[in-house]
Amino acid sequence: MTFPSDVQRGDLPAWMPGELYVIALSIVSELVAFTAVGLVAAWGEWFPGWFPRLRGRRIPTAVAVIPAALGAVALTVMWTAAFVTELAGVTLRGDPTPADYPSRAGGWESAAYYLCYTPLLLWGPLLAAVTFAYYRRRRTTGSHVTPTATL
C-alpha cells in the first residue's frame, strides 16, 4: 500500500505512514471487538489480578453494559446505512458508486462481496443480544459471589 505524491491521503497526518495507520487501526479494532467476549466469559465480570487497586473486585454492570449498548447502536446504524446506500447505488456521501466497486462487478465477484459483507448487518443486533444477556445475568446474580478462578 503506497501513496504516490499526487494522491491525497485523506485526513492522515503527514508524519503517519499509511501502512502504520492500517496496522494500528486493525489492532485497535480487534482489541475493542474482543471486549465483547467479556460479556459472555467469566473474565468479563471481575477485574483481573494485574489491574491496580481493583483486582478481584466485581466490574460494575453499567461499566460493561453502557459502552456495549452504545456500540451495538452505533454498529447497527453504521452497517444499516452502509447497506442501504450500497443497494441504492450511492456512497455514504451520496456520490454514485464507482464503476470498479466490487458489488458492481457482477458474477462471482458480486456474490463473494455480498457473502462476505452481509453478516455485518448482524453485528450490532447480536452485540445488543449478548449485552442484554449480560445485564440480565448480572442483575440477578448476587454481589457476594467471588471469582472461582484466578484472573
Side-chain angles (χ1 to χ4, degrees), residues 64-78:
V65 170
I66 291 172
L70 291 173
V73 169
L75 288 168
T76 302
V77 169
M78 179 178 71

Side-chain angles (χ1 to χ4, degrees), residues 2-99:
T2 60
F3 296 99
S5 59
D6 62 333
V7 175
Q8 294 290 330
R9 291 185 25 176
D11 294 335
L12 283 181
W15 56 266
M16 179 177 278
E19 298 84 359
L20 176 64
Y21 172 75
V22 171
I23 292 169
L25 182 63
S26 297
I27 291 170
V28 169
S29 62
E30 288 296 326
L31 290 173
V32 170
F34 187 67
T35 61
V37 176
L39 296 171
V40 295
W43 59 263
E45 296 186 20
W46 305 94
F47 285 103
W50 54 264
F51 210 89
R53 286 195 229 159
L54 297 174
R55 66 179 52 116
R57 291 188 184 174
R58 204 160 163 80
I59 296 174
T61 304
V63 169
V65 170
I66 291 172
L70 291 173
V73 169
L75 288 168
T76 302
V77 169
M78 179 178 71
W79 290 116
T80 302
F83 272 86
V84 166
T85 58
E86 164 67 29
L87 294 175
V90 296
T91 65
L92 286 172
R93 294 181 188 160
D95 302 327
T97 305

